Amino acid sequence: MKKFIAFFFFFLLIAAPAKAGYYDNFKFAAKENIKPFARDLGSLLGTGTANTARSLGFSGFDLGLHAGAMLKPSKENAVLDKDKAIGLGLVQLEIGMPYRIDGFIRGNEYEGIAAVGGGLRYGLWNVSDENYKVNAAIVGMCNMVSAKSFYAVHWNATLVLSMNLPVLSPYISGGVDSTYLVAQAMEDASLSDSSVRTAMPRYAAGLRAKFGLLYLSGEAAYTHGEMVLGAGAGVRF
């Protein structure tokens, strides 16, 4: 258990470099670097949205911090420093509604970069809290990111499966991240207002640990040939 908690705090620290000074390098991007940058950004935004497929239930509540990190940018992403991790952390608030539907909003702001979004989660069958039973849910969400030299809109659709266990509960997910990014205020004026669209599959596996109302989670996702690591913590009831 101590190793699992250390894993969580390590990846939250990795997410810390996601601040404006780092992403400001985008204004120097060449045309061929914009699309790989958009793919990496979409990968971070789509990480850690769900660590269980169990619906909250009517009037249920979840408040947590979800962070995603890549130990280094993808090979084609020459916008960012190859020797630095990239990350993004978002505060997420979830509310349970009738018919196994959860609604959530999420966001965070760094100096010069802001992200906000939200979505819905739908349980595919009646919730089970019995040990070794599997829950399933579909998640759909949209995120928007704004910085000095770009803005982006990200969509995600994911199927999540999780198994009930007393403390450590495993989960797996598969889905698609789609990102639309528009460059602005670029050093190369010909690239200002240019846009790209990306779409990529994502497959993830992780564990969630419960301590009463508190939880910690960690996951590894594979997308566009890269590994994206996620961590989360919060309170849920």
Side-chain angles (χ1 to χ4, degrees):
M1 185 58 63
K2 289 182 179 179
K3 291 182 178 180
F4 184 80
I5 294 173
F7 169 92
F8 164 74
F9 284 109
F10 174 71
F11 288 114
L12 282 189
L13 288 173
I14 285 177
K19 53 187 178 183
Y22 193 53
Y23 286 101
D24 274 353
N25 290 334
F26 182 84
K27 66 182 179 182
F28 301 110
K31 183 177 180 179
E32 63 271 18
N33 300 141
I34 296 177
K35 195 165 188 176
F37 175 88
R39 283 198 298 263
D40 286 354
L41 181 64
S43 297
L44 296 176
L45 288 166
T47 299
T49 57
N51 50 54
T52 179
R54 188 202 185 285
S55 301
L56 282 166
F58 183 60
S59 75
F61 177 87
D62 186 322
L63 176 62
L65 172 64
H66 301 264
M70 300 177 67
L71 296 181
K72 59 182 179 179
S74 57
K75 294 180 180 179
E76 299 84 3
N77 181 359
V79 176
L80 302 176
D81 192 325
K82 292 293 185 181
D83 297 323
K84 291 184 179 180
I86 58 174
L88 188 64
L90 297 171
V91 177
Q92 183 163 303
L93 171 64
E94 305 181 20
I95 300 293
M97 299 182 288
Y99 305 110
R100 302 190 304 276
I101 297 174
D102 300 338
F104 61 90
I105 56 174
R106 59 205 316 253
N108 201 358
E109 183 176 0
Y110 301 91
E111 185 180 351
I113 185 171
V116 64
L120 295 173
R121 184 180 302 111
Y122 173 67
L124 293 182
W125 53 73
N126 289 334
V127 170
S128 172
D129 288 319
E130 185 179 347
N131 282 340
Y132 308 107
K133 293 294 185 179
V134 174
N135 291 307
I138 295 176
V139 182
M141 71 169 178
C142 176
N143 298 287
M144 293 174 284
V145 176
S146 177
K148 291 179 180 178
S149 52
F150 68 89
Y151 68 87
V153 181
H154 165 264
W155 295 270
N156 171 277
T158 301
L159 171 65
V160 185
L161 299 173
S162 64
M163 178 180 287
N164 299 329
L165 292 176
V167 179
L168 285 176
S169 297
Y171 64 94
I172 57 173
S173 66
V176 176
D177 289 306
S178 177
T179 306
Y180 172 69
L181 184 144
V182 178
Q184 52 188 6
M186 303 291 286
E187 285 292 306
D188 182 350
S190 66
L191 295 180
S192 294
D193 298 323
S194 61
S195 63
V196 296
R197 293 181 184 273
T198 70
M200 55 212 171
R202 165 197 298 275
Y203 309 98
L207 289 172
R208 186 185 69 152
K210 292 174 60 179
F211 309 95
L213 298 179
L214 302 178
Y215 66 84
L216 299 175
S217 66
E219 71 177 40
Y222 180 80
T223 176
H224 69 286
E226 302 293 334
M227 292 297 297
V228 183
L229 304 173
V235 57
R236 179 184 177 99
F237 57 85

